[in-house]
Amino acid sequence: MLRPEISASYQELSEDVERGSENPTDERGGEMEVHEDASSVILPDSELGTTAPSLRFSKTCLKNVFSVILLFIYLLLMAVAVFLVYQTISDFREKLKHPVMSVSYKEVSLYDAPGIAFYPGKARLLSCKHHYYDHIPPLINPGQPGDIECTTQRINYTDPFTNQSMKYALVVQGPRDVKKKELVFLQFHLNGTDQDFSAIDYLLFSSFQEFINSPEKAEFMKDCESSYSSWKFSGGFRTWVKMSLVKTKEEDGSETVEFKQETSVVNYIDQRTKPRSDQLFFVVFEWKDPFIQTVQDIVTANPWNMIALLCGIFLALFKAADFAKLSVKWMIKIRKRHLKRSHQVRNHIN
């Protein structure tokens, strides 16, 4: 049983050997196929090697584009900073040329008694009294001389505008106590006039005490008449004058004083039997409120703010210039590195 099987297996082995000796080229072809398979496996590595530079090149392009965009942004910011510098300097010069008017109020309980200069002409002062709390008692014997309880001063001086004619002024001390609503009530009488209209001129100046202390009262009154405006009150009426004080500070540091007035006129019913040319004048002076108004020009341009703003702008400019310089250097460096790598790849291919 074993012999036939051994002979059969031996016969098959000999047939395989003969077949191998008859087809040696087939084995070489198989080896070539194995090498070709190996080469086909190695091929993807070479493809990755060729695609890696292209990926690096695309990243470099993106970085360069991003750097260029940043550079343009910083150049735009620099242009805006330059415009802000120009605008800041222009605004500062404009504010220096056009100061802003500032108005402030100071509350007082007592004013410095103003001076009231009357130019009565032919009229005569009948009475002058101080009253309080806006109360004026009824008139007693109107048209007849009464009590003069005010501080008065009579003065003659040359007209400051013509320097020829003489002027006669009756200077009266005005009210002081604004809290108690102090007022000065005066009555004048004019017995006959050849004019079509009858009125008495008056002017206000800031301090009666300055007038009293002045050694040259005539010159003082000439200066007041040149500096202050004059008003009128008519006969046959009671004129109520409410005063307010306005102080103006000039650029040279000097201070000017101006009076503002609100007047109300009430008709006087004269029940006397008198000639038609006989007239009575009534006038009341009172402070309107306890506030002194101060007006001054203020330059709103602050040089320190402008200097701080300019320093910040110039610092931003220098930082932007430094960043732009570094960006340009970095772009040049990246460009040189890219050229160097492309040259090395070219040499390797060659």
Side-chain angles (χ1 to χ4, degrees):
M1 294 294 293
L2 293 173
R3 289 182 67 88
E5 291 178 1
I6 294 172
S7 61
S9 61
Y10 179 78
Q11 186 178 357
E12 290 175 358
L13 181 61
S14 62
E15 288 176 359
D16 292 335
V17 173
E18 287 175 0
R19 192 181 300 112
S21 61
E22 288 177 356
N23 299 319
T25 58
D26 295 337
E27 294 178 0
R28 292 179 181 177
E31 291 177 358
M32 291 296 294
E33 288 178 0
V34 173
H35 287 295
E36 287 176 0
D37 293 339
S39 65
S40 65
V41 174
I42 296 172
L43 182 60
D45 293 336
S46 63
E47 289 178 355
L48 289 174
T50 56
T51 55
S54 63
L55 291 175
R56 284 197 298 269
F57 178 74
S58 62
K59 291 181 181 179
T60 304
C61 288
L62 288 176
K63 290 181 180 179
N64 289 337
V65 170
F66 185 69
S67 299
V68 170
I69 292 174
L70 281 180
L71 183 60
F72 276 110
I73 291 174
Y74 275 88
L75 289 176
L76 179 62
L77 292 177
M78 288 177 64
V80 172
V82 171
F83 174 76
L84 287 176
V85 170
Y86 172 76
Q87 193 67 28
T88 302
I89 296 175
S90 300
D91 291 344
F92 182 77
R93 295 178 62 185
E94 191 69 20
K95 289 179 180 179
L96 285 179
K97 293 180 181 178
H98 302 285
V100 178
M101 181 180 293
S102 172
V103 180
S104 59
Y105 294 89
K106 179 183 178 181
E107 185 176 4
V108 294
S109 58
L110 290 175
Y111 279 94
D112 188 7
I116 309 172
F118 296 96
Y119 301 94
K122 296 181 180 180
R124 183 167 59 98
L125 178 65
L126 295 180
S127 64
C128 178
K129 292 183 179 181
H130 289 261
H131 300 286
Y132 296 90
Y133 301 106
D134 292 341
H135 175 69
I136 300 176
L139 296 175
I140 300 175
N141 296 325
Q144 300 297 322
D147 296 332
I148 299 178
E149 299 175 357
C150 306
T151 304
T152 61
Q153 182 82 36
R154 302 175 186 272
I155 186 171
N156 295 316
Y157 63 93
T158 306
D159 192 331
F161 300 104
T162 62
N163 288 326
Q164 294 178 357
S165 61
M166 295 294 294
K167 300 190 72 172
Y168 161 69
L170 174 64
V171 183
V172 179
Q173 182 179 3
R176 296 185 67 239
D177 196 340
V178 65
K179 294 294 184 180
K180 294 181 179 181
K181 296 184 178 181
E182 179 185 2
L183 57 87
V184 177
F185 177 63
L186 300 99
Q187 179 185 178
F188 291 87
H189 174 252
L190 178 61
N191 186 12
T193 179
D194 55 354
Q195 298 179 355
D196 296 331
F197 302 95
S198 60
I200 295 177
D201 295 338
Y202 72 95
L203 67 83
L204 301 171
F205 55 90
S206 58
S207 176
F208 180 79
Q209 192 62 38
E210 289 183 6
F211 167 74
I212 295 298
N213 297 333
S214 176
E216 297 291 338
K217 292 182 174 57
E219 293 297 326
F220 183 90
M221 289 305 303
K222 289 172 69 174
D223 293 338
C224 288
E225 189 172 354
S226 302
S227 303
Y228 298 100
S229 300
S230 62
W231 293 271
K232 298 178 182 289
F233 60 95
S234 300
F237 298 93
R238 187 192 68 184
T239 303
W240 198 301
V241 180
K242 291 191 175 183
M243 307 172 293
S244 58
L245 193 62
V246 180
K247 294 182 179 181
T248 304
K249 293 183 179 181
E250 305 295 339
E251 294 182 358
D252 57 356
S254 61
E255 187 177 81
T256 59
V257 179
E258 178 186 2
F259 284 91
K260 290 185 177 180
Q261 301 184 42
E262 294 181 3
T263 59
S264 60
V265 179
V266 178
N267 186 28
Y268 169 64
I269 301 174
D270 196 349
Q271 299 178 354
R272 301 175 301 146
T273 58
K274 58 179 179 60
R276 185 171 300 177
S277 60
D278 189 4
Q279 288 187 341
L280 294 177
F281 300 80
F282 303 95
V283 63
V284 181
F285 291 92
E286 180 188 12
W287 287 109
K288 178 185 176 182
D289 50 47
F291 299 101
I292 298 176
Q293 180 178 344
T294 302
V295 180
Q296 60 181 345
D297 292 335
I298 296 178
V299 178
T300 56
N302 192 343
W304 295 110
N305 289 342
M306 190 194 70
I307 291 172
L309 180 60
L310 290 178
C311 288
I313 292 174
F314 283 121
L315 181 62
L317 284 174
F318 284 125
K319 288 293 183 181
D322 189 26
F323 179 83
K325 181 180 177 181
L326 293 176
S327 299
V328 171
K329 286 184 177 181
W330 183 74
M331 290 171 61
I332 294 173
K333 184 178 180 181
I334 293 297
R335 180 64 179 170
K336 288 181 178 180
R337 186 181 299 174
H338 174 67
L339 293 175
K340 184 178 179 181
R341 287 180 178 177
S342 61
H343 182 67
Q344 288 177 355
V345 170
R346 220 178 286 119
N347 291 336
H348 181 71
I349 292 173
N350 291 333

